[in-house]
């Protein structure tokens, strides 16, 4: 009578290791990039939410608002601060006489906690964990020449429109795939992330 030995043959072991290696080799890059895409999409959602909220706020209470971007380049993150403009209000006669109110009417001072013509609303500040944004000096060039830190903001007038067309470069950290994109703001108050419309 033959005795059967229990266990796996060398060939069965090698085939099993080969199949496991193949599955891991295909699946790991997808799983590894999953977190990066999540970080990128989460920060984009924060940007969209903040812009939509501030625009709606300007429509509801009749004030002009700015979203001031304070970049922390050492951590590749940003704070999206909300500032209410003092003096740019729908009931202000001077605002209605002006035919060319610009974002520059907010006038940054270089001090993180003061904006010449505004009040910071601390409770509305949002944090981008994996992105920085720099406002560009031009609308169409392939590269972005950044404005000064004092003028790194987007604004909305009391009627929810923007006083000028603007563009900003969004740069994601390595934790979010090191992607680069653009945010565009239009005089209508509409904005988009991606290609200019």
């Amino acid at each position: 009578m033959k005795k059967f030995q229990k266990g796996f043959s060398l060939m069965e072991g090698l085939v099993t290791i080969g199949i496991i290696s193949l599955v891991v080799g295909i699946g790991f890059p997808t799983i590894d990039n999953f977190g990066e895409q999540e970080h990128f999409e989460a920060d984009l959602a924060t940007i969209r939410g903040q812009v939509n909220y501030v625009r709606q706020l300007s429509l509801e209470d009749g004030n002009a608002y700015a979203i001031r971007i304070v970049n922390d380049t050492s951590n590749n993150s940003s704070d999206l601060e909300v500032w209410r403009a003092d003096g740019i209000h729908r009931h202000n006669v001077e605002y209605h006489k002006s035919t060319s109110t610009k974002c520059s009417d907010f006038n940054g001072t270089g001090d993180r906690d003061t904006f010449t013509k505004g009040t910071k609303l601390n409770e509305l500040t949002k944090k981008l964990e994996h992105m920085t944004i720099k406002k560009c000096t031009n609308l169409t060039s392939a590269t972005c020449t950044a404005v000064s830190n004092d003028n790194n903001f987007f604004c909305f007038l009391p009627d929810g429109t923007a006083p000028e067309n603007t563009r900003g470069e969004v740069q994601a950290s390595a934790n979010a795939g090191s992607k680069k994109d653009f945010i565009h703001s239009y005089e209508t108050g509409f904005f988009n992330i991606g290609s200019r419309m």
Side-chain angles (χ1 to χ4, degrees), residues 13 15 28 44 68 77-78 91 93 98 109 113 124 133 141 143 148 172 184:
V15 168
F28 184 72
L44 286 182
R68 185 174 185 203
S77 62
S78 302
H91 302 297
V93 175
S98 174
T109 64
D113 295 322
L124 298 181
I133 303 173
S141 174
T143 59
S148 68
H184 303 276

Side-chain angles (χ1 to χ4, degrees), residues 83-166:
W83 291 76
R84 183 181 57 239
D86 296 334
I88 306 177
H89 190 274
R90 77 168 65 114
H91 302 297
N92 182 329
V93 175
E94 293 304 314
Y95 163 71
H96 289 288
K97 286 182 182 176
S98 174
T99 57
S100 61
T101 302
K102 299 286 182 211
C103 272
S104 57
D105 290 348
F106 281 84
N107 291 341
T109 64
D111 181 351
R112 180 183 171 118
D113 295 322
T114 58
F115 221 18
T116 303
K117 297 181 180 177
T119 303
K120 182 179 175 184
L121 306 174
N122 290 316
E123 68 279 6
L124 298 181
T125 296
K126 299 289 183 198
K127 181 128 183 110
L128 300 178
E129 300 290 338
H130 305 282
M131 284 184 181
T132 57
I133 303 173
K134 58 182 181 181
K135 186 176 172 184
C136 306
T137 58
N138 56 47
L139 296 176
T140 57
S141 174
T143 59
C144 176
T145 304
V147 298
S148 68
N149 289 337
D150 294 343
N151 293 308
N152 197 23
F153 58 89
F154 296 90
C155 63
F156 294 96
L157 297 175
D159 58 3
T161 63
E164 57 202 351
N165 292 325
T166 56

Side-chain angles (χ1 to χ4, degrees), residues 13-29:
L14 289 174
V15 168
T16 303
I17 290 172
I19 291 171
I20 291 172
S21 298
L22 184 63
V23 169
V24 169
I26 292 171
F28 184 72

Side-chain angles (χ1 to χ4, degrees), residues 43-109:
D43 277 355
L44 286 182
T46 301
I47 294 168
R48 287 184 190 104
Q50 189 75 329
V51 171
N52 284 329
Y53 181 76
V54 171
R55 182 172 181 268
Q56 185 63 32
L57 197 58
S58 69
L59 285 166
E60 287 178 5
D61 72 8
N63 285 299
Y65 286 89
I67 299 174
R68 185 174 185 203
I69 301 139
V70 181
N71 292 318
D72 179 357
T73 52
S74 62
N75 292 320
N76 207 8
S77 62
S78 302
D79 287 337
L80 302 178
E81 300 175 344
V82 177
W83 291 76
R84 183 181 57 239
D86 296 334
I88 306 177
H89 190 274
R90 77 168 65 114
H91 302 297
N92 182 329
V93 175
E94 293 304 314
Y95 163 71
H96 289 288
K97 286 182 182 176
S98 174
T99 57
S100 61
T101 302
K102 299 286 182 211
C103 272
S104 57
D105 290 348
F106 281 84
N107 291 341
T109 64

